[in-house]
Amino acid sequence: MPRMLTVFEVIIRPGNDPEALLSEETKKETLAQIMTPEEAAAVGFKGFVPDPKGRQIRFIAVAQRDAHWIQRTLESHEGVDGYKTHDIG
């Protein structure tokens, strides 16, 4: 049975560090992968378009079972301007 992934397409608020989206503990516990658009394309995630306002985007890939954890983290993070979710697999 294939594993389902959720990929969060995160728009970073200007002046914020995209590496600070998730704590080290969250990354360790969920095995979340934070990727630039180029890194995401290199591992096969296709079809994403740049932000029309030129803001930084990061992709966070996580097992579907941990998606709610990541969603709650993003919703409360001051550096996040918005996000979309994509279920893959």
Side-chain angles (χ1 to χ4, degrees):
M1 175 182 228
R3 293 185 180 209
M4 294 289 292
L5 286 179
T6 297
V7 176
F8 292 87
E9 182 178 352
V10 184
I11 299 171
I12 310 300
R13 187 168 287 141
N16 285 275
D17 180 6
E19 297 305 314
L21 288 172
L22 302 177
S23 70
E24 290 302 319
E25 177 185 358
T26 298
K27 288 188 272 189
K28 180 180 176 185
E29 293 293 323
T30 64
L31 301 177
Q33 300 275 328
I34 300 175
M35 300 170 279
T36 65
E38 296 78 18
E39 291 168 334
V43 296
F45 296 121
K46 305 284 185 212
F48 299 113
V49 296
D51 180 64
K53 296 180 182 177
R55 296 172 291 187
Q56 287 190 80
I57 295 177
R58 290 295 184 271
F59 295 96
I60 301 174
V62 66
Q64 202 170 44
R65 72 177 181 275
D66 294 319
H68 289 294
W69 182 349
I70 302 302
Q71 182 176 356
R72 284 190 306 272
T73 300
L74 295 175
E75 287 175 352
S76 64
H77 196 290
E78 65 183 25
V80 173
D81 225 7
Y83 65 89
K84 298 177 196 172
T85 60
H86 307 275
D87 291 324
I88 298 174

